[in-house]
Amino acid sequence: MPRLPDESVIEEVRSLRESIARAAERYYAFDDPEISDAEYDRMMRRLEELEAEYPELATPDSPTRRVGAPPLEKFETAPHSVPMLSLENAMSREEVAAFDQRARKALGLSGPLSYTAEPKLDGVAVELVYENGSLVLASTRGDGYVGEVITDNVRTIRRVPLSLKGEGVPERLEVRGEVYLPKAHFARINQEREDQGLPLFANPRNAAAGSLRQLDSKITATRPLDMFCYGVGRVSGVIFETQFSLLKTLAGWGLPVNLAGTRGGVSLEEVFAYYEELSEKRHKAPYEMDGLVVKVDSISYQQDLGTTARSARWAIAWKFPPVQESTRVEDIVVSVGRTGALTPVAVLAPVSVGGATVSRASLHNEDEVKRKDVRVGDRVLVQRAGDVIPEVVKVLDPDREGRNPPFVMPRACPVCGSEAVRLQGEAVSRCINALCPAQVKERIKHFASKAAFDMDGVGDKLVHQLVERGLAKSFEDLFTLTMDDLVPLTRMAEKSAGNILSSIEQSKDVTLGRFLYALGIRHVGEHVARTLASHFKDIRRIMSASKEELQEIPEVGPVVAQSVASFFANPQNVEAVEELLRRGVRIKEEEAPEKGRPLSGRTFVLTGALSSMTRSQAKERIEAAGGRVSGSVSKKTNYVVAGESPGSKLDKARDLGVAVITEEDLKDMLGE
Ligand code: IVH
């Protein structure tokens, strides 16, 4: 007999639903989560528990019945012919064992089940539809039943084939997978956003979602998204026997599949072992993973097990422990960036989060600090997503007695004391003194950085000394430095001073795109700078272009146009450009865009016989694509390609945790 709920239970359910709905909206519709995934999962589980205990509280519109959020109105929508469902989560080995038990019981099996285990990528679920082998539609998961149409955006993802190849391509194929942003690009995009005073993405998943759900696919095209396919919707005329063979077939048609990370046809024990292995290795992977998806391998068993309204009964997501820790806020300081933006930063009692020590975390801006109400002395939850800037998720003891007063953003620049102004509609306050030493240092560092003038040795420490000693008041001054200026600096020998001067000299030949980027104009990141360069081809034409002329370029919107025009309307900035040219900077032809060398920097080892090419042909092709082939497996090996009857190199690869791929994967990487 189910128990009757009392007032407090009804209240708890109500409040859980409200919090979940709010969190889901921020997560799915605005790509801007407010709480950690672990917290969200906990709330959802608690609600599921209560609804199971008090079935009369389980309403059809409860968040436990839904997958995501309804589509935003700005996109066209398309229904999914098979609902795109979610997965139950497991937090421990015991919960996975219980899942195995349930599945075997439901199937009436006494023997063991065979599984396929795939990394759970942290990105955005997408469905691709191919008709007669051509990509005709791509949509997000939406609420599971109706998604947002994002076909043009998905077409910009290089690894998504526009047409399929190979034997037996079905008339209609609905294929599903995860679109993600590789970690390395995430860090770069956030850096650019910070430079431009835009809000940062909390993690690679939000960055991927934000990039994909753009009305303007040109913006998507500037974000190097990637995709792995993991399943299908409706498929005409093809019958798959197992999950693993399904994945291999998809890969054979040219779709991107994470075969190297997948273990197919394995026992429960092997799933356990693989989880341990992946927990160790996941931080080294180029993409963010948040768990292992364990799927019953046999497709006919999958069908027998079926689904609930929200998730499949034949699969479970075994989550990795979140990379979050708690620590105390020792201080809140304010740093000043290149554009004068004042950023509050929490100074933390050092704590190890997912293998890295964290002692500072960005609080982004005044509103963020207010929203999270972070104060000195608070115990906070901090998280690190991959290699990114750690951040404060929330205060853990907001009701504590004797808390310090709320943080107040200073009204003056903490470095030069000038007024700090927050313009209407902006989240950040800025120091308005262009000669503020903090801004000067940041501008010089930016000017010398890799993507700009690329001056070796001109970094944090050197720039600090140059500005403090009055040797550089602006970036132009870098070009008139002498040995006499540099040698007296701390920790500077004649040899290194000479190296720095020669790298400054070499940097004088610069492309127009880099030159523009180096000037540090707000909203002009590397990409915009290159776009302006290839359109105008001449710095003087850019300097005299009106806002309207700038906006004629398809990729340039009103914000960028305004920013560029006002930058050059300021005589000081024009003078800075003239001064650079007088001091010997030569703007040269734009380099041809780097030819796609898909394998550059990657080392391969070949073992076993390949079927469609000899090993020496494979070597040639890898090298032609920029990769390297080595005779023996070491920690430096990126991939071992295993053919028929592989040798001991395969064991060595597994020992060292090197990715093992098939010949098909290799061909995929070669873009064949
Ligand atoms: S299978 C009915 N496999 O995880 C089964 N999902 O809640 C549907 N995900 O948003 C999902 N990697 O996009 C599956 N290898 C994988 C996955 C995966 C990531 C995502 C999926 C969904 C969420 C599941």
Side-chain angles (χ1 to χ4, degrees):
M1 197 42 204
R3 289 197 292 140
L4 284 180
D6 61 29
E7 270 308 307
S8 70
V9 173
I10 296 176
E11 174 51 28
E12 187 180 354
V13 166
R14 197 197 53 74
S15 130
L16 281 168
R17 284 190 187 146
E18 197 181 292
S19 308
I20 291 171
R22 185 181 152 79
E25 182 180 35
R26 297 217 57 96
Y27 179 117
Y28 290 107
F30 297 107
D31 308 326
D32 178 23
E34 226 172 27
I35 58 170
S36 73
D37 288 7
E39 263 174 285
Y40 184 84
D41 289 346
R42 258 195 312 275
M43 290 198 296
M44 197 64 134
R45 287 182 146 223
R46 175 71 186 143
L47 182 57
E48 279 167 356
E49 260 170 45
L50 290 175
E51 288 181 356
E53 197 172 338
Y54 306 104
E56 65 271 48
L57 293 182
T59 54
D61 63 350
S62 169
T64 55
R65 303 293 181 100
R66 299 194 340 148
V67 180
L72 283 186
E73 272 170 23
K74 58 185 185 177
F75 287 98
E76 275 184 55
T77 57
H80 301 297
S81 44
V82 179
M84 285 181 81
L85 297 180
S86 179
L87 294 170
E88 290 280 339
N89 289 334
M91 300 297 171
S92 64
R93 180 181 289 228
E94 289 67 38
E95 290 181 7
V96 178
F99 158 77
D100 171 73
Q101 287 254 326
R102 276 198 305 278
R104 284 190 297 126
K105 185 160 173 235
L107 294 167
L109 292 179
S110 51
L113 263 173
S114 177
Y115 292 99
T116 282
E118 305 161 13
K120 183 170 180 313
L121 258 62
D122 206 7
V124 185
V126 164
E127 176 167 83
L128 312 175
V129 180
Y130 287 89
E131 272 171 10
N132 300 313
S134 299
L135 178 64
V136 294
L137 183 80
S139 57
T140 64
R141 182 169 70 170
D143 64 1
Y145 298 88
V146 178
E148 296 151 331
V149 174
I150 47 164
T151 316
D152 289 340
N153 297 352
V154 168
R155 280 191 219 272
T156 69
I157 304 175
R158 279 187 34 212
R159 283 236 287 169
V160 172
L162 299 181
S163 50
L164 301 177
K165 52 161 199 181
E167 296 287 298
V169 171
E171 230 174 81
R172 184 180 168 92
L173 169 69
E174 299 169 358
V175 60
R176 281 121 188 234
E178 199 81 353
V179 170
Y180 66 94
L181 184 73
K183 285 180 196 166
H185 297 295
F186 172 68
R188 182 179 56 77
I189 287 174
N190 257 352
Q191 183 61 54
E192 282 177 20
R193 291 178 73 85
E194 182 150 29
D195 290 348
Q196 299 176 0
L198 297 172
L200 301 189
F201 288 120
N203 51 46
R205 176 190 59 227
N206 292 117
S211 306
L212 208 48
R213 298 162 83 251
Q214 284 287 342
L215 287 178
D216 181 358
S217 62
K218 290 205 195 77
I219 299 181
T220 314
T222 67
R223 309 272 169 82
L225 294 167
D226 209 333
M227 180 173 187
F228 278 133
C229 297
Y230 55 64
V232 292
R234 211 177 72 205
V235 186
S236 56
V238 183
I239 292 167
F240 300 106
E241 300 242 320
T242 64
Q243 171 68 18
F244 195 43
S245 66
L246 179 155
L247 293 179
K248 286 189 283 197
T249 307
L250 295 179
W253 289 332
L255 289 158
V257 177
N258 190 357
L259 284 180
T262 297
R263 298 287 179 272
V266 292
S267 67
L268 189 64
E269 283 305 319
E270 285 168 310
V271 169
F272 291 163
Y274 189 43
Y275 179 87
E276 297 304 326
E277 186 185 331
L278 213 55
S279 312
E280 297 279 308
K281 285 200 313 207
R282 69 173 169 128
H283 297 293
K284 294 192 200 119
Y287 41 79
E288 204 70 52
M289 292 179 232
D290 60 345
L292 189 63
V293 183
V294 183
K295 300 179 178 174
V296 168
D297 201 26
S298 152
I299 303 281
S300 72
Y301 282 164
Q302 288 185 5
Q303 283 160 352
D304 292 344
L305 288 165
T307 65
T308 68
R310 204 172 83 89
S311 51
R313 287 204 188 87
W314 45 266
I316 196 158
W318 187 0
K319 293 286 205 86
F320 293 128
V323 226
Q324 293 186 330
E325 266 317 324
S326 63
T327 184
R328 196 165 294 284
V329 177
E330 293 185 331
D331 199 1
I332 298 179
V333 297
V334 173
S335 78
V336 184
R338 170 165 60 84
T339 59
L342 267 47
T343 307
V345 176
V347 180
L348 306 167
V351 59
S352 165
V353 187
T357 303
V358 170
S359 56
R360 287 164 84 85
S362 171
L363 292 166
H364 306 305
N365 58 51
E366 187 175 4
D367 294 347
E368 276 280 301
V369 189
K370 263 207 201 113
R371 191 169 62 71
K372 292 182 179 161
D373 191 19
V374 182
R375 308 186 192 182
V376 174
D378 286 350
R379 223 160 51 76
V380 290
L381 191 66
V382 290
Q383 78 177 6
R384 209 171 60 95
D387 313 323
V388 308
I389 325 161
E391 65 162 5
V392 171
V393 179
K394 62 177 225 163
V395 174
L396 293 168
D397 52 0
D399 302 323
R400 172 175 61 95
E401 298 234 334
R403 256 180 116 196
N404 279 308
F407 169 78
V408 185
M409 197 71 181
R411 295 288 151 238
C413 170
V415 176
C416 72
S418 304
E419 195 187 347
V421 178
R422 181 171 170 184
L423 294 179
Q424 238 192 349
E426 287 213 358
V428 290
S429 312
R430 286 174 204 281
C431 161
I432 53 167
N433 170 18
L435 301 176
C436 167
Q439 287 185 53
V440 171
K441 281 179 208 165
E442 293 302 319
R443 278 201 298 269
I444 298 179
K445 276 196 302 195
H446 174 79
F447 185 87
S449 68
K450 204 155 185 59
F453 271 72
D454 192 14
M455 299 174 175
D456 261 348
V458 186
D460 231 350
K461 295 211 176 66
L462 182 72
V463 172
H464 177 77
Q465 297 194 59
L466 293 175
V467 173
E468 292 297 311
R469 296 182 184 219
L471 291 166
K473 296 195 175 56
S474 173
F475 44 65
E476 302 94 275
D477 297 339
L478 291 173
F479 293 109
T480 42
L481 290 172
T482 61
M483 283 300 260
D484 290 345
D485 292 333
L486 293 187
V487 175
L489 301 183
T490 345
R491 261 176 287 159
M492 179 72 68
E494 249 173 62
K495 182 154 183 284
S496 38
N499 288 343
I500 289 172
L501 290 181
S502 79
S503 112
I504 293 178
E505 189 56 36
Q506 275 171 23
S507 78
K508 283 182 177 169
D509 282 303
V510 69
T511 60
L512 181 54
R514 283 170 173 269
F515 184 94
L516 264 183
Y517 173 68
L519 296 177
I521 307 169
R522 274 185 74 200
H523 304 297
V524 179
E526 280 175 73
H527 178 75
V528 172
R530 272 200 300 270
T531 308
L532 291 171
S534 65
H535 182 88
F536 287 102
K537 301 205 167 57
D538 181 355
I539 184 68
R540 294 192 196 280
R541 286 187 53 213
I542 299 178
M543 290 203 286
S544 58
S546 67
K547 194 177 157 202
E548 290 68 35
E549 283 169 296
L550 288 159
Q551 245 179 283
E552 275 166 27
I553 309 175
E555 282 176 66
V556 173
V559 176
V560 172
Q562 178 65 58
S563 175
V564 174
S566 359
F567 184 88
F568 290 116
N570 179 343
Q572 278 179 357
N573 291 330
V574 174
E575 182 49 28
V577 170
E578 300 294 354
E579 193 57 41
L580 286 172
L581 300 174
R582 280 198 291 272
R583 294 190 190 185
V585 171
R586 289 172 295 264
I587 299 175
K588 58 178 184 185
E589 285 272 300
E590 205 68 22
E591 301 139 19
E594 214 182 298
K595 280 269 155 44
R597 298 259 288 172
L599 304 186
S600 28
R602 317 251 111 191
T603 304
F604 291 76
V605 171
L606 307 169
T607 176
L610 305 179
S611 61
S612 63
M613 51 186 139
T614 65
R615 291 232 290 257
S616 67
Q617 281 168 337
K619 180 164 189 277
E620 258 170 44
R621 285 194 216 174
I622 290 172
E623 287 170 353
R628 226 173 63 81
V629 176
S630 150
S632 60
V633 182
S634 75
K635 279 206 167 134
K636 297 213 177 97
T637 313
N638 297 102
Y639 299 100
V640 170
V641 185
E644 205 56 47
S645 350
S648 62
K649 289 176 192 167
L650 184 61
D651 302 327
K652 181 90 188 277
R654 294 225 197 277
D655 278 353
L656 292 176
V658 173
V660 177
I661 61 170
T662 62
E663 182 174 350
E664 284 304 311
D665 294 336
L666 172 64
K667 287 191 350 218
D668 229 37
M669 291 178 164
L670 289 165
E672 288 173 18

